[in-house]
Amino acid sequence: MYGMIHKGARHAVIKVFGEEAWEKSLSVSGLSEEHLISAAHYDDVMTYSLIEAISLQCNITLNEVLRAAGRHWVEYTITAGYGDIIALTGRNLVEFIENLDRMHESLNRTLPKAVLPSFQLISATPNRLEVIYKSQRDGLEELVLGIFEGVLEYFDEQMEIGYTVTEEETYFTLIRAECPAASHGKAKPILDMAV
């Protein structure tokens, strides 16, 4: 993964747990500040080592680390100078999701080693969105869930998010919070990472 992923994790940890927690996590992972160069590519093993170290230092599960990192990802990308990319991806939630793959294609030109996921909006009604997520990497559904939470905050939307994993893809469902079906299959709340 690219160093910008590590920088995004740093942003989330410092914001929620403080600078000391980040420094300890970085040390335990065996990484250093040189592994935080945004455009540099690092082996996935390094990233997973960092996630495990954050989990241990902050006393939260791996899934909670992934979800928190995802939730803060949008905020991080905006503060790190990528706000124009976010703004150009869509003027509302539906446009944003529809254009995610196009945005990833443009990023692939500047980050050629990136292994980017795919998102397909398969259904959109005023109260419910259904999205197919595919990735060559396994086990990152909670990261994506967190990213969706961050995107919802960005667009000032209130929706519950759930997902179902199959062998080939993951189905995400986003339902308006006031919709009666919203409580079915929703993601369990975690620590309040929106501090």
Side-chain angles (χ1 to χ4, degrees):
M1 294 186 198
Y2 278 84
M4 65 188 304
I5 300 295
H6 301 165
K7 289 176 89 167
R10 175 177 67 182
H11 174 83
V13 172
I14 290 173
K15 183 164 185 176
V16 179
F17 296 102
E19 185 81 39
E20 185 178 343
W22 168 252
E23 293 299 334
K24 287 181 180 176
S25 298
L26 194 61
S27 176
V28 168
S29 71
L31 303 183
S32 67
E33 291 295 323
E34 71 182 35
H35 298 104
L36 300 174
I37 300 169
S38 291
H41 185 265
Y42 304 100
D43 192 289
D44 285 1
V45 173
M46 293 180 178
T47 306
Y48 293 128
S49 174
L50 181 59
I51 292 167
E52 289 175 9
I54 293 168
S55 172
L56 289 171
Q57 292 305 309
C58 298
N59 197 28
I60 59 176
T61 67
L62 293 174
N63 278 342
E64 288 171 334
V65 173
L66 290 170
R67 187 169 170 188
R71 186 168 186 170
H72 287 283
W73 179 250
V74 176
E75 178 185 343
Y76 162 71
T77 55
I78 291 169
T79 60
Y82 302 101
D84 288 348
I85 294 172
I86 300 291
L88 290 171
T89 302
R91 294 170 295 171
N92 58 55
L93 180 62
V94 171
E95 276 186 17
F96 186 87
I97 294 171
E98 286 177 327
N99 290 323
L100 274 174
D101 282 0
R102 187 175 300 139
M103 187 231 342
H104 283 157
E105 285 172 20
S106 66
L107 285 175
N108 226 0
R109 292 184 193 109
T110 55
L111 305 171
K113 294 181 182 178
V115 179
L116 298 169
S118 171
F119 293 88
Q120 180 186 2
L121 182 65
I122 57 171
S123 174
T125 68
N127 290 322
R128 182 184 180 100
L129 303 176
E130 295 181 16
V131 181
I132 294 177
Y133 157 75
K134 294 182 182 179
S135 175
Q136 294 179 38
R137 295 181 174 100
D138 293 327
L140 297 180
E141 290 80 16
E142 288 291 317
L143 176 71
V144 174
L145 189 153
I147 290 172
F148 276 135
E149 289 176 334
V151 169
L152 287 171
E153 288 175 17
Y154 175 76
F155 286 111
D156 196 26
E157 294 272 4
Q158 298 286 322
M159 301 183 90
E160 302 290 347
I161 308 166
Y163 64 84
T164 304
V165 180
T166 70
E167 280 188 32
E168 307 210 351
E169 55 211 6
T170 301
Y171 292 86
F172 277 88
T173 305
L174 292 79
I175 302 174
R176 292 250 171 257
E178 66 272 7
C179 188
S183 61
H184 175 69
K186 73 179 183 178
K188 294 178 182 175
I190 61 163
L191 304 171
D192 184 8
M193 301 309 236
V195 175

